[in-house]
């Protein structure tokens, strides 16, 4: 499943063509730094560090993301994953946060769900 997430993030960043989901400067920076696309699930991942650094440091947005993650995974599952430090959950929740907060992908889906 990690490869599928890497492909989705690469698509959002415009690897292999133009991105309608991020601004051109961000897409260009990613494509220049990670010529072969992101590898977000590598044990040591520079692309994951880049993705994390793209996410705004905003308490209100973080709280909203927690609500979204609880809706997707369940409140109890989120609490357990955070309490136990589940690394897979932490990585995937960061990727979801990045998609929602830094791309237009989520807002496009909400605005026109029938297209997806």
């Amino acid at each position: 499943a990690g490869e599928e997430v890497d492909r989705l993030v690469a698509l959002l960043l415009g690897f292999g063509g133009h991105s309608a989901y991020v601004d051109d400067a961000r897409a260009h920076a990613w494509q220049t730094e990670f010529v072969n696309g992101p590898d977000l699930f590598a044990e040591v991942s520079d692309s994951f560090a880049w993705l994390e650094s793209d996410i705004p440091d905003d308490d209100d947005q973080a709280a909203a993301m927690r609500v979204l993650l609880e809706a997707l995974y369940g409140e109890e599952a989120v609490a357990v994953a955070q309490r136990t430090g589940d690394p897979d959950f932490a990585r995937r929740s960061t990727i979801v946060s990045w998609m929602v907060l830094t791309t237009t992908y989520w807002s496009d889906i909400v605005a026109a769900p029938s297209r997806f």
Side-chain angles (χ1 to χ4, degrees):
E3 297 85 22
E4 292 170 345
V5 174
D6 284 343
R7 283 195 300 273
L8 174 59
V9 170
L11 172 72
L12 295 175
L13 290 166
F15 282 84
H18 173 74
S19 173
Y21 303 106
V22 299
D23 64 64
D24 290 340
R26 181 183 295 150
H28 179 72
W30 272 85
Q31 292 168 23
T32 301
E33 185 69 21
F34 304 103
V35 176
N36 296 317
D39 184 2
L40 301 170
F41 290 88
E43 195 165 318
V44 176
S45 175
D46 289 341
S47 57
F48 186 77
W50 265 52
L51 185 134
E52 279 185 307
S53 71
D54 272 356
I55 298 172
D57 187 21
D58 181 298
D59 291 339
D60 290 339
Q61 288 181 337
M65 285 309 306
R66 181 174 175 93
V67 170
L68 175 62
L69 292 169
E70 288 172 349
L72 293 170
Y73 295 108
E75 191 174 332
E76 178 78 16
V78 170
V80 169
Q82 290 180 330
R83 186 172 54 250
T84 62
D86 181 330
D88 189 57
F89 174 81
R91 188 160 298 247
R92 290 177 184 281
S93 65
T94 298
I95 293 166
V96 169
S97 296
W98 176 84
M99 286 174 37
V100 170
L101 298 175
T102 70
T103 75
T104 62
Y105 182 70
W106 183 260
S107 59
D108 287 354
I109 290 172
V110 172
S114 62
R115 286 190 0 219
F116 296 93

